């Protein structure tokens, strides 16, 4: 006998994943963000290198700390609908923060503020995501 997954509400709603993600966020991510010193350190680290850097000229790649990777991994798990994204208006000159609809082909809604670099835009997104997480898990 086959199980009809459409009738199993927990599977359809992906409850197991959501509960696991919620547990991991409360256990590993939020303590890093609710602690003022830790949050300031993570923000400073991200500001200095929002996207890391590849190896070049014999120098090793610049990787984020374990704590920052933990926070970034949580942020990357956010569903596409409602996710903050970087929108390039003019390469190397003009970027905005957008909010994805989650539907391919639908336009991204953008905020008014313009950033002069992709890194500045990515860091602003990081700050928005931290604020949203702290509000959600307070």
């Amino acid at each position: 006998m086959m199980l009809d997954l459409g009738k199993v509400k927990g599977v359809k709603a992906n409850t197991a994943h959501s509960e696991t993600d919620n547990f991991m966020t409360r256990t590993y991510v939020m303590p890093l963000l609710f602690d003022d010193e830790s949050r300031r350190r993570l923000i400073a680290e991200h500001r200095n290198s929002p996207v890391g850097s590849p190896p070049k000229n014999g120098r090793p790649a610049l990787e984020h700390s374990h704590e920052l990777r933990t926070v970034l991994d949580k942020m990357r798990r956010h569903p596409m609908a409602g996710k903050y994204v970087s929108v390039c208006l003019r390469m190397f000159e003009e970027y905005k923060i957008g909010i994805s609809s989650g539907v391919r082909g639908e336009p991204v809604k953008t905020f008014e503020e313009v950033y002069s670099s992709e890194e500045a835009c990515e860091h602003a997104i990081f700050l928005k995501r931290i604020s949203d997480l702290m509000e959600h898990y307070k």
Side-chain angles (χ1 to χ4, degrees), residues 80-129:
M80 281 308 295
K83 190 172 194 170
Y84 297 120
V85 295
S86 179
V87 178
C88 177
L89 302 172
R90 260 189 260 142
M91 192 72 103
F92 308 112
E93 292 179 27
E94 195 174 322
Y95 298 83
K96 284 188 175 185
I97 296 175
I99 298 180
S100 172
S101 69
V103 178
R104 184 181 290 243
E106 281 192 16
V108 172
K109 294 178 182 160
T110 59
F111 290 89
E112 290 299 315
E113 190 166 358
V114 177
Y115 300 91
S116 61
S117 70
E118 183 177 8
E119 289 80 8
C121 188
E122 287 295 332
H123 186 64
I125 289 170
F126 179 72
L127 295 175
K128 282 186 171 299
R129 288 177 177 165

Side-chain angles (χ1 to χ4, degrees), residues 61-84:
L62 176 63
E63 293 187 16
H64 294 131
S65 67
H66 174 72
E67 291 83 9
L68 182 54
R69 285 194 316 263
T70 299
V71 173
L72 290 172
D73 286 347
K74 164 58 184 171
M75 293 175 175
R76 290 176 181 133
R77 288 192 303 267
H78 191 283
M80 281 308 295
K83 190 172 194 170
Y84 297 120

Side-chain angles (χ1 to χ4, degrees), residues 19-30:
E19 290 303 315
T20 301
D21 182 61
N22 187 44
F23 172 80
M24 290 171 56
T25 301
R26 288 186 186 282
T27 304
Y28 302 108
V29 176
M30 296 318 298

